[in-house]
Amino acid sequence: MTQPARIPRARSLDRSVRVLDAYACIGGAARGYQRLGWHVTGVDIEPQPDYCGDDFHQGDAIAFIRAHGAEFDFIHASPPCQGEGAPTKGTNAARNKAIGRTYPRLIAPTREALKTTGRPSVIENVPGSEVRKDIRLCGEQFGLAVLMHRYFELGGWTAEQPDHPKHRGYVRGCRHGEWREGPYVAAYGKGGGKATVEEIRAAKGIDWSTDHFRLREALPPAYTEWIGLAYLASLTPRLGVAA
């Protein structure tokens, strides 16, 4: 099995770290920060009855960041990705235009809202999105059964890109009429060998929800646990945090 991506295992700060989890969904990102003992408050425009964080507010994420972001120690934002990926901008663009389908483009306004807070932050999104490509994480880096490449734009701090190991094989399923077996499941869509609810839960390390759609959207908690530890490691020279 692939060894997890490594960074210095910095101890937590000497106070409770309060994280704002914007565009929270069911809390895949939240759970990773919670593993570090941090208190996580989620905000999402939609109700999220399965949210696993410590507190939740239903409302506009950008407005909440502007109004309350400065009250937190760290801000994580995962703006909706439906309008950001390469298929939406490329192969599916003409079809979406023809049927009048549009998606919100919230990365830029989220970035501007984060700047007003003066707090360290991270914006997460898909390949093809407009986030700055500071960090790329993949399930293979953590020994997960899902690939799910995601990019992270770091605001007010820096971290080194971890090694990206070679994938061990195919994503299981039917593609272009050909069935392939592989060590990874397709945690998106339905049919064609796409992952079941239980397979997604196991592959991502999410055990608190059975909502198929939300499970597909959620980040694996291992990603944000890594991000949180990387952030702590970035503070080591200033705070004397032991590695």
Side-chain angles (χ1 to χ4, degrees):
M1 178 177 289
T2 301
Q3 293 299 312
R6 295 183 180 277
I7 60 167
R9 296 288 297 186
R11 294 196 305 266
S12 186
L13 301 175
D14 59 2
R15 58 190 171 85
S16 177
V17 177
R18 301 183 68 245
V19 178
L20 175 59
D21 176 21
Y23 311 97
C25 189
I26 60 173
R31 180 52 54 86
Y33 296 120
Q34 286 179 316
R35 289 177 180 175
L36 304 177
W38 296 358
H39 183 283
V40 185
T41 297
V43 58
D44 199 289
I45 196 68
E46 298 182 0
Q48 299 291 345
D50 289 348
Y51 185 63
C52 69
D54 302 287
D55 197 4
F56 179 80
H57 296 271
Q58 184 178 350
D60 181 85
I62 292 174
F64 195 92
I65 290 169
R66 289 185 175 277
H68 302 286
E71 302 167 14
F72 294 85
D73 302 298
F74 187 86
I75 306 174
H76 175 102
S78 292
C81 64
Q82 289 88 347
E84 300 295 338
T88 301
K89 295 177 179 179
T91 56
N92 294 338
R95 181 176 63 183
N96 289 336
K97 182 177 180 180
I99 64 177
R101 177 185 293 160
T102 60
Y103 297 102
R105 303 292 299 278
L106 298 178
I107 291 175
T110 297
R111 182 186 294 121
E112 292 306 308
L114 290 170
K115 289 178 181 178
T116 70
T117 69
R119 297 302 189 191
S121 64
V122 62
I123 307 175
E124 171 271 325
N125 223 271
V126 298
S129 73
E130 296 174 1
V131 296
R132 194 172 62 245
K133 309 305 191 286
D134 296 330
I135 296 291
R136 179 176 71 163
L137 295 181
C138 162
E140 180 61 22
Q141 291 166 308
F142 304 97
L144 302 179
V146 63
L147 292 178
M148 197 173 182
H149 295 96
R150 290 295 182 268
Y151 285 97
F152 296 80
E153 177 179 319
L154 311 183
W157 62 288
T158 61
E160 292 186 6
Q161 170 65 40
D163 291 339
H164 185 187
K166 182 179 179 180
H167 298 164
R168 290 170 286 131
Y170 295 112
V171 176
R172 184 203 72 200
C174 188
R175 184 172 178 82
H176 304 303
E178 181 182 358
W179 178 269
R180 287 173 171 172
E181 293 291 344
Y184 312 107
V185 297
Y188 54 87
K190 294 183 178 181
K194 301 295 194 303
T196 65
V197 164
E198 288 306 315
E199 287 175 328
I200 299 174
R201 281 161 54 94
K204 291 188 175 184
I206 294 175
D207 61 4
W208 63 91
S209 177
T210 57
D211 185 318
H212 189 262
F213 178 72
R214 301 302 186 199
L215 283 167
R216 285 154 42 190
E217 289 188 324
L219 276 180
Y223 289 19
T224 47
E225 182 180 16
W226 190 96
I227 290 291
L229 285 169
Y231 169 64
L232 287 178
S234 77
L235 302 180
T236 299
R238 289 185 285 138
L239 299 182
V241 179

